[in-house]
C-alpha cells in the first residue's frame, strides 16, 4: 500500500524523504545505547493510514478481512461532535508481538448517512452506495475460504493481499455526473468523497518521526504546504500520546460521467506525520483533555503554541512523576542480574530495590480532537458545521459485526501482566 501511495501521490514520497532525513539527524544525536534501541525498533515500518466507507456491509466485510491479517477494531471516535458526519475506529494489531513486528493501523470511518438533512439526497446517496462493490470477487472468495478452512496457504495469502489492495486504489473517474457530485459536495465534502467514487481510496499514510517540529519546519522549505498547527500536546521532554501534522490535501483532476467536458477537481488525499509518546491512563487522559480544552478556550491574544505550552505546564514532564501519579502506562521488567529480597511481592518495593525497571508504553491509538483537526484542515474552514447527534457506538459495532476493543483495557492488561510476571519471578 505504501508503494502504491508513493507512486500515486509524489508529494507523499517527498514527505517520506523529509522524515527519513529528520529521523537520521535525531538518531545521530543519540548516545549509542538509546540509538541502538531506536534503530532496532519498528521505526521503518511504523505507519498508519485512513479510509472512509459508506455502508455497514462494507465495514463488516473489512472487519472480516482485517481479522485475517490480525487486525481488530480498537477505540470508538465520534467525529460528528466536531462537524464531520462520520464515526470511526482503528483496525490494528493488539498483542505485543504483533505490534512489534508491524503496528500498522488503519483509521476507518463510516459515513453517517442519517446526518444528511435532505431526504432526497440521502436516498440518492444510499442507492449509489448500495449498488457499488468495493471488493474484487477474488478478495471475497479468499475471505470466505479463510473463514471456512481456518487459514490460507502461502500463494493464496499473497493473492489475498494483492486483491485487497485493489479496494484502496484511487479512481480518477467518478461514478456520478458533475451535478450529482456538486449536490453531495454541498451536503458535505466528505459525503462526496465517500459516495461519488468506486471505492474507499486510501486518503493518507502517516510515517512516524522522531521530531515532528523539525518535519513541520522543513515542509515549506521543500515547497510543501503544511497544516498550520501540529495537533495534540505541545513539545515536551517526555512525549505523551500523539502529535500529528499533515500537508494540505491536493486538488486532483477527476472525470465525471456524462461527456467529455465533465472534468473537475476533487480534494481528498494528503500525507501526514506523527510522533508518538507514552500511553495515558484514564486519569492521565482526563488531565490531557482538560488542559487541551484550556488551551483552546484561552483568549486568542497569544498564539496557539504558547497557549498550549502554558496550559500543559500542569502536566508532569518526567517519567517518575507520571508513573507515581498514575497518569501513564508502564511495562515492568526484571533487571538482569539484580536480585530481590526474598518474599518481596510489592512492585513498588521491587522498583526501589532496583530489581525491576519500568518503561513507558507507547500510545498505539488516536485522539478524537486531533483527528477532527486533521479532517478539518483538509476540508477547508467553510466545511465547519455542527451535528446535534449523540455518539452511536452501538451502531458502529452493529455494522462491524463485533464489539469494539477498549484501548484502555489493552494497556491496562499489558501493564498488569508485566507486574504479575515480575512478582512471580
Ligand atoms: C481520517 C482523519 C483522522 C488521524 O490521524 O487522526 C486521522 C480521515 O481523514 O479520513 O487519520
Ligand atoms: Ni491520520
Amino acid at each position: 500500500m505504501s508503494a502504491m501511495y508513493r507512486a500515486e501521490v509524489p508529494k507523499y514520497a517527498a514527505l517520506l524523504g523529509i522524515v527519513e532525513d529528520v529521523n537520521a539527524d535525531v538518531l545521530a544525536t543519540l548516545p549509542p545505547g538509546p540509538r541502538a534501541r531506536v534503530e532496532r525498533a519498528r521505526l521503518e515500518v511504523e505507519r498508519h493510514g485512513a479510509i472512509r466507507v459508506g455502508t455497514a456491509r462494507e465495514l463488516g466485510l473489512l472487519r472480516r478481512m482485517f481479522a485475517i491479517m490480525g487486525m481488530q477494531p480498537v477505540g470508538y471516535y465520534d467525529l460528528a461532535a466536531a462537524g464531520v458526519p462520520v464515526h470511526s475506529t482503528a483496525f490494528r494489531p493488539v498483542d505485543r508481538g504483533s505490534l512489534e513486528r508491524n503496528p500498522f493501523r488503519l483509521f476507518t470511518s463510516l459515513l453517517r448517512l442519517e446526518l444528511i438533512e435532505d431526504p432526497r439526497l440521502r436516498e440518492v446517496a444510499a442507492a449509489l452506495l448500495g449498488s457499488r462493490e468495493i471488493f474484487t470477487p477474488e478478495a471475497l472468495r479468499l475471505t470466505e475460504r479463510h473463514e471456512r478452512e481456518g487459514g490460507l496457504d502461502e500463494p493464496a495469502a499473497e493473492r489475498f493481499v494483492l486483491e485487497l489492495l485493489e479496494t484502496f486504489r484511487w479512481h480518477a473517474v467518478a461514478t456520478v455526473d458533475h451535478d450529482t457530485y456538486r449536490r453531495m459536495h454541498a451536503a458535505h465534502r466528505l459525503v462526496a468523497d465517500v459516495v461519488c467514487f468506486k471505492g474507499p481510496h486510501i486518503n493518507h499514510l502517516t510515517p512516524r518521526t522522531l521530531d515532528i517540529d523539525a518535519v513541520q519546519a522543513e515542509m515549506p522549505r521543500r515547497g510543501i504546504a503544511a497544516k498550520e498547527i501540529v495537533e495534540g500536546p505541545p513539545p515536551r521532554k517526555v512525549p505523551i500520546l500523539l502529535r500529528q501534522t499533515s500537508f494540505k490535501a491536493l486538488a486532483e483532476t477527476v472525470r465525471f460521467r456524462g461527456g467529455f467536458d465533465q472534468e473537475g477537481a476533487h480534494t481528498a488525499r494528503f500525507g501526514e506525520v506523527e510522533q508518538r509518546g507514552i500511553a495515558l491512563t484514564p486519569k492521565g487522559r482526563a488531565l490531557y483533555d482538560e488542559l487541551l480544552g484550556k488551551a483552546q478556550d484561552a483568549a486568542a491574544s497569544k498564539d496557539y503554541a504558547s497557549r498550549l505550552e502554558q496550559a500543559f505546564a500542569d502536566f508532569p514532564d518526567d517519567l517518575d512523576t507520571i508513573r507515581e501519579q498514575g497518569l501513564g502506562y508502564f511495562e515492568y521488567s526484571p533487571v538482569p542480574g539484580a536480585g530481590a529480597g526474598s518474599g518481596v511481592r510489592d512492585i513498588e518495593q521491587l522498583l526501589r530495590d532496583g530489581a525491576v525497571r519500568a518503561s513507558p508504553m507507547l500510545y498505539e491509538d488516536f485522539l478524537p480532537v486531533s483527528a477532527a483537526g486533521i479532517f478539518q484542515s483538509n476540508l477547508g474552514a467553510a466545511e465547519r458545521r455542527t451535528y446535534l447527534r449523540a455518539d452511536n457506538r452501538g451502531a458502529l459495532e452493529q455494522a462491524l459485526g463485533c464489539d469494539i476493543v477498549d484501548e484502555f483495557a489493552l494497556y491496562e492488561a499489558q501493564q498488569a501482566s508485566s507486574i504479575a510476571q515480575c512478582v512471580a519471578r
Side-chain angles (χ1 to χ4, degrees):
M1 183 154 11
S2 178
M4 178 176 90
Y5 201 62
R6 237 174 306 178
E8 287 182 351
V9 183
K11 269 224 167 77
Y12 173 65
L15 182 65
L16 282 180
I18 297 179
V19 170
E20 205 175 296
D21 293 350
V22 165
N23 286 355
D25 286 349
V26 174
L27 284 172
T29 65
L30 294 179
R35 185 190 315 153
R37 263 199 300 285
V38 181
E39 273 170 351
R40 241 187 300 115
R42 53 201 207 181
L43 204 54
E44 298 309 303
V45 291
E46 175 94 47
R47 217 170 264 126
H48 84 251
I51 55 165
R52 305 149 185 170
V53 296
T55 65
R57 173 185 176 270
E58 290 173 356
L59 188 65
L61 276 161
L62 277 176
R63 195 267 300 161
R64 290 163 57 192
M65 292 173 174
F66 288 136
I68 294 177
M69 299 187 175
M71 297 160 83
Q72 291 176 40
V74 179
Y76 176 77
Y77 305 92
D78 171 31
L79 277 307
V84 185
V86 303
H87 49 181
S88 321
T89 187
F91 290 98
R92 70 164 176 88
V94 295
D95 66 275
R96 197 173 185 281
S98 303
L99 283 165
E100 257 160 37
R101 278 186 65 180
N102 192 320
F104 184 72
R105 323 156 179 88
L106 198 61
F107 192 92
T108 304
S109 301
L110 176 63
L111 183 64
R112 293 178 70 180
L113 270 187
E114 76 273 18
L115 299 182
I116 300 181
E117 267 160 48
D118 176 356
R120 294 253 332 272
L121 197 64
R122 210 185 303 141
E123 257 170 52
V124 176
L128 281 163
L129 290 170
S131 65
R132 76 175 184 178
E133 175 55 88
I134 66 171
F135 303 105
T136 68
E138 190 65 5
L140 290 167
R141 261 197 300 277
L142 287 167
T143 302
E144 279 161 18
R145 188 168 132 203
H146 185 283
E147 289 172 348
R148 203 171 49 241
E149 298 172 10
L152 294 175
D153 58 18
E154 191 82 28
E158 294 278 345
R159 188 68 206 263
F160 173 67
V161 172
L162 291 177
E163 292 289 335
L164 186 49
L165 185 60
E166 290 306 309
T167 296
F168 307 117
R169 208 177 272 292
W170 177 252
H171 299 279
V173 183
T175 53
V176 298
D177 58 36
H178 209 158
D179 185 52
T180 307
Y181 174 88
R182 278 197 210 96
R183 275 159 50 217
M184 296 295 169
H185 195 281
H188 198 290
R189 190 192 292 183
L190 218 81
V191 173
D193 185 52
V194 176
V195 170
C196 302
F197 294 90
K198 192 165 169 284
H201 36 258
I202 181 96
N203 69 54
H204 68 280
L205 284 176
T206 309
R208 178 175 168 206
T209 176
L210 299 171
D211 185 349
I212 198 164
D213 300 298
V215 175
Q216 174 83 341
E218 186 62 18
M219 275 198 266
R221 278 188 223 125
R222 297 200 196 176
I224 298 177
K227 185 176 175 312
E228 283 76 14
I229 61 157
V230 175
E231 297 291 338
R236 298 161 41 90
K237 286 204 285 296
V238 177
I240 52 173
L241 299 172
L242 176 63
R243 302 181 67 212
Q244 297 154 280
T245 186
S246 69
F247 65 73
K248 298 263 183 69
L250 312 166
E252 298 179 271
T253 305
V254 294
R255 205 144 35 78
F256 297 98
R257 293 181 67 156
F260 289 113
D261 55 340
Q262 298 282 320
E263 230 177 52
H266 179 61
T267 308
R269 301 198 294 174
F270 58 99
E272 188 190 8
V273 285
E274 64 182 16
Q275 184 168 12
R276 290 185 175 265
I278 181 174
L280 298 185
T281 60
K283 182 180 171 197
R285 176 57 180 275
L287 180 58
Y288 169 83
D289 287 338
E290 183 196 322
L291 300 180
L292 188 70
K294 264 192 197 154
Q296 293 184 331
D297 292 345
S301 56
K302 277 191 186 152
D303 65 291
Y304 184 65
S306 355
R307 282 185 278 152
L308 201 59
E309 204 176 293
Q310 201 162 28
F312 275 82
D314 289 338
F315 202 111
D317 199 8
D318 67 281
L319 281 174
D320 286 339
T321 313
I322 290 175
R323 203 190 63 81
E324 282 155 20
Q325 295 190 1
L327 299 172
Y329 287 111
F330 289 80
E331 184 161 61
Y332 296 80
S333 56
V335 174
S342 73
V344 177
R345 286 261 173 282
D346 176 40
I347 192 73
E348 293 301 321
Q349 187 61 47
L350 289 168
L351 266 173
R352 278 194 295 275
D353 292 349
V356 156
R357 76 168 145 247
S359 333
M361 283 169 56
L362 195 66
Y363 189 57
E364 307 286 355
D365 295 286
F366 294 86
L367 296 167
V369 175
S370 297
I374 293 286
F375 267 111
Q376 291 299 359
S377 70
N378 286 297
L379 293 172
E383 249 359 282
R384 237 167 248 274
R385 37 194 96 185
T386 40
Y387 296 105
L388 296 172
R389 282 297 178 104
D391 73 29
N392 203 347
R393 175 191 290 256
L396 195 66
E397 290 184 332
Q398 199 170 2
L400 285 161
C402 71
D403 288 351
I404 293 170
V405 179
D406 174 26
E407 64 274 35
F408 290 105
L410 290 176
Y411 299 112
E412 188 70 46
Q414 195 179 326
Q415 175 174 276
S417 107
S418 77
I419 292 174
Q421 278 173 36
C422 284
V423 169
R425 186 85 163 256

